[in-house]
Amino acid sequence: MSPALFLVLLLSAGQHGGQGALGCWSSCQRHVQDQALRARVCQLCVTTGRSDAWVLEART
């Protein structure tokens, strides 16, 4: 993980109403096995700000 991405995840981890981007990222990394799918959907944790964004995208 690049230092800039880690910083963005760390800074957004304290978001209200969810687990934050860091928790979302960790969950995505843990549950998505396919490398290509992981690369595509885990970034949604940061770009959308929703903790469930990767789940919704991975199911489509």
Side-chain angles (χ1 to χ4, degrees), residues 4-60:
L5 178 58
F6 181 73
L7 180 60
V8 168
L9 290 171
L10 185 62
L11 291 174
S12 60
Q15 294 174 347
H16 298 305
Q19 61 182 339
L22 188 57
C24 177
W25 179 269
S26 298
S27 179
C28 183
Q29 294 293 310
R30 198 171 43 249
H31 290 93
V32 179
Q33 300 299 313
D34 181 79
Q35 292 285 340
L37 181 61
R38 183 186 297 167
R40 184 170 56 90
V41 300
C42 292
Q43 70 179 346
L44 295 173
C45 293
V46 177
T47 58
T48 67
R50 294 184 50 192
S51 63
D52 62 347
W54 73 267
V55 175
L56 300 173
E57 185 66 24
R59 294 186 184 265
T60 60

